[in-house]
Amino acid sequence: DAGVIQSPRHEVTEMGQEVTLRCKPISGHDYLFWYRQTMMRGLELLIYFNNNVPIDDSGMPEDRFSAKMPNASFSTLKIQPSEPRDSAVYFCASSLAGPLSYEQYFGPGTRLTVT
Amino acid sequence: SQQGEEDPQALSIQEGENATMNCSYKTSINNLQWYRQNSGRGLVHLILIRSNEREKHSGRLRVTLDTSKKSSSLLITASRAADTASYFCATDKGGNTDKLIFGTGTRLQVFP
């Protein structure tokens, strides 16, 4: 398996533009997680899905952020409109089952810069 | 606030030395995991220890868990330059939750 795939790897955009980050989890994994990593706040869980259904989005910063998982092999995280404070590395991770028993596999991340 | 916090924040050692990192957490847990992150990369799972386990080994890694003190330690023996990375502990919050909460991380630098 190729592991968790994220695209793009780098994104530079201007404030106010829409940004869409993409993730393909490992085939057969039931859980998908979106994280954001910054120097100031560390690694934060934004939202996670189980069997394509959003379970907990309490970490989503505000209404400008939205995430979807239309099928088991694809998820998107959208920011509209983007702001400079959204600059961070965004990770997608998947796991076979809940993290009570299983490790999470992380993608390489998308480095987002909003100017 | 963070569920897990690592100590020290940064650690520099010479190749061949042992590296010990500590993690403290606040609430009861079902398990605790350790991850490594190389610069510019995603996190990689190292080891999982359950709340009813006290010690676990994987190659040069040794993890201990003390639930009475709500703390864990990661020991890397005979360190190598390739071990240079950030190390994070991650815990659930007990109960029936699927969420992992990551600590602040320890940055380990191993000099050749």
Side-chain angles (χ1 to χ4, degrees), chain B residues 51-97:
Chain B
S51 60
N52 62 352
E53 297 176 311
R54 292 295 167 260
E55 188 170 311
K56 206 161 183 181
H57 296 256
S58 177
R60 293 183 296 113
L61 305 181
R62 172 178 170 254
V63 169
T64 62
L65 179 64
D66 187 334
T67 53
S68 66
K69 295 181 179 179
K70 292 186 172 58
S71 68
S72 173
S73 67
L74 170 66
L75 169 66
I76 304 174
T77 59
S79 64
R80 306 167 182 168
D83 294 328
T84 295
S86 291
Y87 292 82
F88 296 86
C89 68
T91 59
D92 57 81
K93 281 191 170 182
N96 187 26
T97 173

Side-chain angles (χ1 to χ4, degrees), chain A residues 59-107:
Chain A
M60 296 285 261
E62 46 197 276
D63 292 345
R64 298 185 296 107
F65 286 69
S66 62
K68 295 182 179 179
M69 192 165 185
N71 57 64
S73 60
F74 183 66
S75 177
T76 59
L77 177 68
K78 186 176 294 187
I79 308 172
Q80 165 65 19
S82 58
E83 296 182 2
R85 59 188 168 134
D86 301 331
S87 296
V89 181
Y90 291 81
F91 289 102
C92 174
S94 68
S95 69
L96 185 60
L100 293 183
S101 299
Y102 292 91
E103 66 266 32
Q104 295 184 16
Y105 293 80
F106 281 74

Side-chain angles (χ1 to χ4, degrees), chain A residues 9 31 33 35 37 41 43 45 48 56 58 91 98-104 106-108, chain B residues 2 30-31 33 35 37 40-43 45 48 50 88 92 95-100 102:
Chain A
R9 292 294 309 277
Y31 283 77
F33 305 83
Y35 292 90
Q37 187 176 40
R41 300 176 67 88
L43 193 66
L45 176 66
Y48 77 94
D56 187 337
S58 60
F91 289 102
L100 293 183
S101 299
Y102 292 91
E103 66 266 32
Q104 295 184 16
F106 281 74
Chain B
Q2 295 284 354
N30 295 295
N31 68 49
Q33 303 183 35
Y35 286 79
Q37 184 179 31
R41 302 286 185 92
L43 280 75
H45 180 264
L48 180 154
R50 304 190 190 286
F88 296 86
D92 57 81
N96 187 26
T97 173
D98 297 321
K99 293 168 63 170
L100 271 186
F102 284 82

